[in-house]
Amino acid sequence: MVRALLLALPASLVTIGLLGVAVGERIAPSLFDHYRPRNAAEAAAAGNAAEVLRRLHRGEDPLREYVVRPQFISSAVQHASMLEAAMWSRRIQMFVMLDRAGVLANDETRHELVCLAEDLSLPDVAEYLSREDAPACEPQQALNRLFARTSEEEMP
Amino acid sequence: MTAQLAAWTYGAAVAAALGYFLLGIPVQLTETFGNMLKLDATWRELLVAEFTQQAYLRPLLFAQLKLVYDASGGEYFAWFRGVHVVQAGLLVALYVHLVQPRTWRDAATLPIGLSVLVGMHTFTGTVREAFPINTFLTIVLCCFAAAALVLARYRWWNDVMAVLLVVVATLTVETGLLAAVIIVCGVMVGARGVSRVGAVLTVVVVAAYVVLRLYAFDIGSPGLTERASGYGLRILDTSELVERFGENPWPFYAYNVVTSVLSVLLSEPRSGVFRLIASLMEEPRPALIVNVIASIAATMAIAWYVWNRRRAWMTWQLDRDDRLLLLFIAVLLANAVISYPYTKDAIMSPAGAFYALAVFVAFRRLVHADVARPVAAGLMATWCLVAGTAWAIRSTGTHLDLRQAGFEVRNEWAYADQWFERNRSPVEGPRATTLLRVLRDDAIVRHPGKAELPATRSPLMEIGN
């Protein structure tokens, strides 16, 4: 009987655990919040394009600054807009989608994103976003501005 | 009776968990949208088109799609994913029916059997892929149903059912031919659920299919130039395949057959590629090591069973468990032969499902075995623990992979317009535009994704494409 129990136990525990997840997600979804995006910026950083689109449809502002939990970008960047956070998805498709959704129309925003893409070594994103007549970026300045928001928040 | 009830309750729990994770996946974009557009045709147009096209002979695949499509009344997610969940539930029910757990030890063996069924890499690929009905799962169901028929008590209508089953399976996907293999082999190893006449009739159906396919519709099998394929430590593209095997493809076909068998027994190679060896040469991947440990533990149990039953087999005194195991061997070999042009996890799904039956049979005997020596008893207990744990990890991986599939499919819909551009297949006409909008809204707005579970990032499980 020991052999039967040793054989049965791991799989039975897994089945109970999976059913626990199913029930838990219904009655206490906050238990599973660690990697669930709480806002558009977290969704964009995680590369969750569908969630970004859903939140845009719901009317969330792509330029609004959100609190981003460290597991989505890093402890150094905890305040970002959806467009800035999208850089960490490292997917050019995300920016094509956002462009087509009409949220990249502002030249100033676009230029700041080009500089951020260059700072993060995302040449394809930078190339896609850049306009011919845009001024050159100062290296690391866009990224430093983003870092500064988190460090300002952390200052007493 | 109580042990049987416990076994069926456990089966229901496994099916419920699987169903819950399946419901997290929207209707797919790739390999689905084009198929769904075809379904607006009339039954006659659809079947004529499918019977007269040159690439495949799968008319009943489209018949099943149209049946659900017409019944859905536009509620595509509920109907197509609902069918998927029902398929998964039926599969588990047929599995429990086939292994017939009767004692408490049998009931305790069921968790590892179902873990193998759900945790096999052949199942993961199968349960993920949908067109939008999960066709490979349909074939696994047909194969299990064929086994249930041939192993049942004889009734005259079993013969009729067997022939119908083979017709439906064969005209759905090519691997449906395995349903006939199961009926015929079942009769050969002494199962009496289907008569010899019934078995001969299934062979006639297969012969008719071959004639129809090769001569009436002129549909051959895939050539070397159709798709890239795994060979050795990497994938060879079509030009490399032609360069190496263009003049004599038989070594390549033999490689595919042998590696298909190995992939079921050892989880390596996969789709023709020895991934574990390749990864050990660069960066070892714990998930691949877990897979191989799990498979070795289970395959050893099968080998132990065969060794233990050798005398009975040699005198042809076969019981139901022997027949199930022999059916596994027949399905494994036939499935591997069908995979000769190219090998892929989902194509080997019937063999993977029968492997799960064989593993149950083997471990059932192992947990019942009397072992006098303490060292041997200790070794067997360790063996059971290792197998149980490794397969539990693999089964968890399948569920987490379904969660990941939901994420990937939703992103496909978010990037749908870019996908259509890349494939140079513009969405034209009001019908296509409406269908695209409905399916996209289903995936993104009406059924948003669930949270990623932290275990998804565990290196012990293979998750994601």
Side-chain angles (χ1 to χ4, degrees), chain A residues 3-4 6-8 10-12 14-15 18-19 22 25 32 35-36 47-50 53-54 93-94 96-97 100, chain B residues 10 20 108 111-112 115 366 369 381 384 388 396 399 403 407 410-411 415 417-418 421 440 444 448 450-451 453 457:
Chain A
R3 267 171 272 156
L6 291 173
L7 205 55
S12 304
V14 162
T15 303
L18 292 169
L19 288 175
E25 285 187 333
F32 303 91
Y35 291 116
R36 182 201 295 276
N48 191 338
L53 216 51
R54 193 174 76 89
Q93 298 104 300
M94 175 77 87
V96 176
M97 182 194 83
R100 290 176 183 181
Chain B
Y10 184 79
Y20 176 75
I112 192 169
S115 290
L366 199 138
C384 288
T396 310
H399 291 84
R403 179 61 56 94
F407 174 83
R410 283 186 180 83
N411 269 6
Y415 300 138
D417 49 355
Q418 296 175 59
E421 283 168 14
R440 191 171 163 147
I444 294 173
K450 295 208 162 53
L453 299 168
R457 302 188 180 198

Side-chain angles (χ1 to χ4, degrees), chain B residues 292-322:
Chain B
V292 171
I293 289 172
S295 289
I296 288 174
T299 301
M300 271 171 58
I302 296 174
W304 176 87
Y305 179 95
V306 173
W307 178 253
N308 261 267
R309 293 289 296 161
R310 66 190 185 285
R311 288 197 182 88
W313 284 25
M314 281 190 282
T315 53
W316 210 241
Q317 289 171 322
L318 305 176
D319 62 19
R320 185 187 166 89
D321 278 0
D322 295 329

Side-chain angles (χ1 to χ4, degrees), chain B residues 266-311:
Chain B
L266 301 173
S267 294
E268 277 285 318
R270 295 270 298 278
S271 301
V273 179
F274 285 85
R275 297 188 319 159
L276 178 63
I277 296 171
S279 84
L280 290 175
M281 289 162 70
E282 292 171 3
E283 190 183 348
R285 291 175 57 194
L288 299 182
I289 296 170
V290 169
N291 287 354
V292 171
I293 289 172
S295 289
I296 288 174
T299 301
M300 271 171 58
I302 296 174
W304 176 87
Y305 179 95
V306 173
W307 178 253
N308 261 267
R309 293 289 296 161
R310 66 190 185 285
R311 288 197 182 88

Side-chain angles (χ1 to χ4, degrees), chain B residues 42-54:
Chain B
T42 63
W43 276 96
R44 187 186 151 77
E45 288 167 349
L46 188 72
L47 289 177
V48 167
E50 287 308 311
F51 266 113
T52 52
Q53 59 122 344
Q54 294 291 299

Side-chain angles (χ1 to χ4, degrees), chain B residues 127-345:
Chain B
V127 81
R128 236 180 188 253
E129 213 164 88
F131 308 100
I133 285 183
N134 201 296
T135 311
F136 286 111
L137 200 50
T138 307
I139 296 305
V140 177
L141 281 171
C142 289
C143 290
F144 269 13
L149 263 182
V150 79
L151 291 169
R153 201 153 52 95
Y154 179 73
R155 291 183 178 91
W156 68 266
W157 61 80
N158 286 3
D159 291 347
V160 181
M161 297 276 283
V163 171
L164 281 177
L165 197 61
V166 171
V167 170
V168 169
T170 306
L171 291 179
T172 298
V173 175
E174 290 75 4
T175 44
L177 289 166
L178 292 171
V181 171
I182 292 162
I183 302 282
V184 172
C185 289
V187 171
M188 283 170 65
V189 297
R192 290 287 168 261
V194 175
S195 70
R196 288 178 187 202
V197 173
V200 169
L201 286 175
T202 61
V203 175
V204 172
V205 169
V206 171
Y209 169 83
V210 172
V211 170
L212 206 64
R213 183 180 172 112
L214 294 181
Y215 301 106
F217 298 124
D218 195 23
I219 300 169
S221 57
L224 289 176
T225 54
E226 285 188 30
R227 49 176 72 83
S229 191
Y231 190 79
L233 298 180
R234 65 187 184 91
I235 302 279
L236 299 184
D237 63 33
T238 50
S239 61
E240 287 175 304
L241 284 172
V242 170
E243 193 182 318
R244 281 200 191 193
F245 303 107
E247 288 183 8
N248 178 20
W250 289 103
F252 175 66
Y253 294 154
Y255 177 84
N256 284 342
V257 172
V258 172
T259 55
S260 294
V261 169
L262 290 177
S263 80
V264 173
L265 296 176
L266 301 173
S267 294
E268 277 285 318
R270 295 270 298 278
S271 301
V273 179
F274 285 85
R275 297 188 319 159
L276 178 63
I277 296 171
S279 84
L280 290 175
M281 289 162 70
E282 292 171 3
E283 190 183 348
R285 291 175 57 194
L288 299 182
I289 296 170
V290 169
N291 287 354
V292 171
I293 289 172
S295 289
I296 288 174
T299 301
M300 271 171 58
I302 296 174
W304 176 87
Y305 179 95
V306 173
W307 178 253
N308 261 267
R309 293 289 296 161
R310 66 190 185 285
R311 288 197 182 88
W313 284 25
M314 281 190 282
T315 53
W316 210 241
Q317 289 171 322
L318 305 176
D319 62 19
R320 185 187 166 89
D321 278 0
D322 295 329
R323 290 188 184 107
L324 269 179
L325 208 135
L326 286 165
L327 280 182
F328 156 63
I329 294 170
V331 171
L332 175 66
L333 295 177
N335 204 165
V337 169
I338 289 175
S339 300
Y340 82 92
Y342 79 110
T343 171
K344 178 179 160 185
D345 288 348

